[in-house]
Amino acid sequence: MIRGHRATWLLAACSATLLNPLIIKAEEEPPIIQNQRALFLTGRYLECKKHNLKVNADRRELATLGKLRIRSMLALGEYEKALKQAEGLYRIHPFSPELNLAVIEALHANGRTEQAQAILHRTIEIEPFGPTPGNSNSSVAFGQLLLQTGLDAKFVLERYFQPAKKADPKGRSAYLAIGQLALSTHDRELAAENFRAGLKLHPNDPEFLLGLEQSQLPLPRNLQKPDLNIQTYLDLALEQNPRFATALLLKAEQLIAKRDFNSARETLKQILQTNPVHSTAWAQLAALALLEEDPSSAQEALKKARQFWPDNPTVSATVGKTLASQYRFAEAIPFLQKASQEDPSSANILFELGSNQLRFGQSDDGWRNVELAHNLDPYNVAAFNLIQLRDKIRDYPILEKDGVRLRMSPEDMAVFGKRALDLAAKSKKTLTEKYQISLSQPVLVEMLPKQEDFAIRTFGLPGGEAFLGVCFGPVITMTSPRGKLGRANWETVLWHEMAHTITLDATRHRIPRWLTEGISVYEERQAKPGWGFGMNAEFRERFLAEEMPAILDIDQSFAGPDIIFGYYHASLVVEFLIENFGLQTMRNILSDLSDGKPLKAILPNRTQPLNQLEKNFRTYAKSQAKGYGPELDWSLLSDEEYQTYRNNPTTWVAQHPKRYSSSMMLASQLIKKQEWNSAQKLLENIIQSAPNNREDNNPYWALSLVYRNSNNTKSERETLIKLVEIDAHHSDAASRLLELSQTLSPAERIKTAQRMLEINPFQETAYRTLFKAAKETQSIQQAQEACTSLLALKPRDSSRLHYELATILLEPNPEQSRREVLKALEQNPRFEIALEFLVNLPPS
């Protein structure tokens, strides 16, 4: 069983609440508590901490107000004052779970971990009375304290959180606690469920808004405020509380993912303006300094991060996680190991360590730590999924060649394992020689049979449908073509990912994402013209209008809907640099990055001043854009134009012969009406104006259909060949070419079959075509490989295929020939020709 976005035990427990709601009239919290919480949640910590606590106040009131006061002091960085306040309140009210949560936070903030543990265990000795309407905080806090002891999460959920939610349906603490527990186990869907419900009861509550952001939900359009730059739940949370440290940390994390380090740094400084000693903010600043090759600033930041709590595991874990997010695994792993030593009971830290070790090729240590994380927290969905996957793939066969290790399912390995290994080894050899580097360790390529398996191996959770492959440096994960038949050319994906291995290793993982992606796409096109992204009408318009980020800011494109444009834009920059400054300059850039130099200093030193470089590239990009269908008008029809077109399509197109969209619409109509001559003329004119057309609505495919229905096989084939040369992912074109190749020369048939197998290595007809053509040309090894792959697909005529393979192996390998004919007879004992062949074999 795979636990995806919803852990089974959490779902079952929550369903009980949904199906059997407890109808109770909830009591409102006292106004003083509502007011103080509002001050805290909106970041008015100074006002919140000034509230004069009455020692003789109601216990519930004292606990909640005391907690808010302590946390306000902590939010302001007044750790010693918070500790003094906590110790005073603890003496008055020593067994309040809600208050003692804050007391323990104050102790930890001051590095008093042993005292915090003592109070934790003392508090949980006395269980509070069950939750009542309007008062669930104590039960929820008790459950949260139990979780800190490592108690089973399912027990805590069912014994404390869910009863509190039932008894106090308008309260906020139970919704928050369940949502946060679900997030900790990577159950984003259930987390979102509870955060949504809590937000409905407590509108604009920044903690629920943050929870929805952490659940990775998009903000509904009706809540977006573009004029205020509010487009996410995180934006809304910070609108409610601009000083919300946890939200600002997440914002910084997102900015770091975009490699917008300057903005991330400014965001972290916002935290420090409120709390100058915020340990996690300083840890993030330390990670940023390490990413920018500033070890002295990193050490200074780490010193401040550990000022009050020298062995704070969150500091080490934050630095490690941040470095790992930028693929700096060699430096991240020691920090994560230190964090695990500082808190051996943390399943989350162990999982972070193990999953990053797996990404960096440290498989044994990685699997061991993921398993330890799973044992510590059986409800961690990501750890559970990885352990399940490990048990599934541990016996998968591995092939090795020239520093490449390939792991695939036995079924896939039998069909195209050798082909995949040969391609991986070829790409490694080609690219290491081109960029003149030696890889520091062997490359592991894991090609998983299902999309779900790939996503779990790569991300820990199902999903990631947009990804075909991911490279972490020495480890490449891919989805087998079996899982995405016809969607992509798997060979170009593998070549692309291997290029990442080269550039990541060459720079010690210090290369900006846009540059490594740009080189990978560029190298795809260098390998074969139909591989990699090329110019299209959308990109053309963007370049002509100069609607693109500056070279050093291309990483911005990889964090949103511009990602496809970002891939091509980056590759065009690489093409421009190599064409204008030479391949050696690109090698030098990679070497400089490895030395820790920033790209903004490298580029002007190796090429020309940045402003001149930017200007020259934009000129180059415009020239490339102008060369794409320069005679055509690529703009879409307006609503008014479309209405005019619909009234008389033929007349409209005659009056606007260069308007691409209307010409293609008319061509489609003509094909439906089977007006082949008119469609042919129109499509040929379009192609003549843009021979390298890469549009999704492509005239080459439409024209091939016209030629097919006109019985013009020669022109159909020529058109399809041009199409697959432009777009090597076009499965239908490759399949049709295979049909048309059967009467051609063996060399043409071999070429056509190979083209099909780039897209679909499970295509039986392609292997039959390849086998037959290779036999005709006496290419024994190629014929043997094709027949072996064909047999792995378990065709109905496998007995005959074994026999045919035996005949071609007779001279070069008599023993193998004997084995093949015996396999033929094993499947069909009355196979007379095979029997005769066996009888006439020379003795072994």
Side-chain angles (χ1 to χ4, degrees), residues 526-537:
Q526 294 300 299
K528 288 187 181 180
W531 289 8
F533 295 105
M535 187 69 73
N536 62 28

Side-chain angles (χ1 to χ4, degrees), residues 151-206:
L151 192 66
D152 182 85
K154 180 181 179 182
F155 174 83
V156 172
L157 177 81
E158 295 178 342
R159 178 68 177 268
Y160 299 100
F161 293 170
Q162 287 293 28
K165 185 175 172 181
K166 291 179 182 180
D168 187 12
K170 291 187 179 180
R172 67 187 294 278
S173 58
Y175 293 99
L176 267 179
I178 295 171
Q180 290 165 352
L181 178 60
L183 280 180
S184 73
T185 61
H186 301 274
D187 189 347
R188 293 194 294 262
E189 188 176 333
L190 180 61
E193 227 174 77
N194 280 272
F195 292 136
R196 273 201 197 101
L199 188 64
K200 187 175 181 180
L201 293 165
H202 304 276
N204 299 321
D205 188 310

Side-chain angles (χ1 to χ4, degrees), residues 15-35:
S15 296
T17 301
L18 295 173
L19 294 175
N20 300 292
L22 192 60
I23 310 300
I24 295 177
K25 183 179 179 180
E27 297 177 3
E28 293 291 334
E29 286 184 321
I32 184 62
I33 292 180
Q34 294 183 39
N35 292 339

Side-chain angles (χ1 to χ4, degrees), residues 57-259:
D58 173 80
R59 283 193 170 193
R60 167 190 167 192
E61 185 175 313
L62 182 64
T64 302
L65 295 178
K67 175 187 70 175
L68 290 171
R69 187 172 187 182
I70 292 169
R71 286 182 171 170
S72 292
M73 291 176 175
L74 292 173
L76 292 167
E78 299 175 354
Y79 292 173
E80 292 173 339
K81 289 183 179 179
L83 179 58
K84 186 176 180 180
Q85 177 73 76
E87 289 175 335
L89 288 171
Y90 179 73
R91 283 193 293 271
I92 298 169
H93 201 359
F95 294 106
S96 166
E98 182 182 8
L99 178 61
N100 286 353
L101 266 179
V103 171
I104 288 168
E105 286 178 34
L107 288 165
H108 277 306
N110 287 274
R112 306 270 285 273
T113 55
E114 291 184 5
Q115 191 176 348
Q117 285 295 306
I119 290 179
L120 168 64
H121 288 288
R122 199 173 300 141
T123 306
I124 62 175
E125 288 178 359
I126 301 177
E127 184 171 347
F129 291 111
T132 58
N135 183 18
S136 57
N137 294 351
S138 186
S139 289
V140 170
F142 192 79
Q144 290 172 318
L145 290 169
L146 289 174
L147 288 174
Q148 291 186 24
T149 69
L151 192 66
D152 182 85
K154 180 181 179 182
F155 174 83
V156 172
L157 177 81
E158 295 178 342
R159 178 68 177 268
Y160 299 100
F161 293 170
Q162 287 293 28
K165 185 175 172 181
K166 291 179 182 180
D168 187 12
K170 291 187 179 180
R172 67 187 294 278
S173 58
Y175 293 99
L176 267 179
I178 295 171
Q180 290 165 352
L181 178 60
L183 280 180
S184 73
T185 61
H186 301 274
D187 189 347
R188 293 194 294 262
E189 188 176 333
L190 180 61
E193 227 174 77
N194 280 272
F195 292 136
R196 273 201 197 101
L199 188 64
K200 187 175 181 180
L201 293 165
H202 304 276
N204 299 321
D205 188 310
E207 293 190 348
F208 286 118
L209 291 168
L210 176 63
L212 289 169
E213 177 74 19
Q214 292 170 317
S215 302
Q216 300 183 8
L217 290 189
L219 183 65
R221 287 190 177 275
N222 64 309
L223 294 181
Q224 294 182 18
K225 304 174 186 177
D227 53 324
L228 298 177
N229 199 30
I230 292 175
Q231 300 180 26
T232 67
Y233 281 109
L234 180 59
D235 296 330
L236 275 181
L238 288 170
E239 182 189 35
Q240 297 301 315
N241 182 2
R243 306 170 82 188
F244 191 1
T246 310
L248 288 168
L249 285 170
L250 180 59
K251 181 179 178 180
E253 185 179 314
Q254 293 176 351
L255 289 166
I256 292 170
K258 299 176 184 177
R259 292 189 67 87

Side-chain angles (χ1 to χ4, degrees), residues 540 626 628-634 657-659 685 688-690:
R540 178 182 187 274
K626 288 176 180 177
Y628 182 77
E631 299 177 6
L632 294 177
D633 180 351
W634 295 95
K658 299 301 182 181
R659 200 68 175 270
N685 287 336
Q688 187 176 2
S689 298

Side-chain angles (χ1 to χ4, degrees), residues 632-684:
L632 294 177
D633 180 351
W634 295 95
S635 62
L636 299 176
L637 270 61
S638 66
D639 291 343
E640 183 180 345
E641 287 175 326
Y642 181 65
Q643 289 302 323
T644 308
Y645 164 83
R646 287 192 63 184
N647 292 335
N648 194 328
T650 303
T651 300
W652 169 269
V653 171
Q655 293 172 349
H656 305 84
K658 299 301 182 181
R659 200 68 175 270
Y660 181 77
S661 57
S662 54
S663 294
M664 286 302 297
M665 284 191 292
L666 177 57
S668 178
Q669 288 179 292
L670 292 172
I671 290 172
K672 286 180 180 178
K673 295 178 181 177
Q674 299 186 9
E675 296 180 17
W676 309 120
N677 290 335
S678 298
Q680 177 182 331
K681 183 178 180 181
L682 180 59
L683 289 165
E684 286 175 342

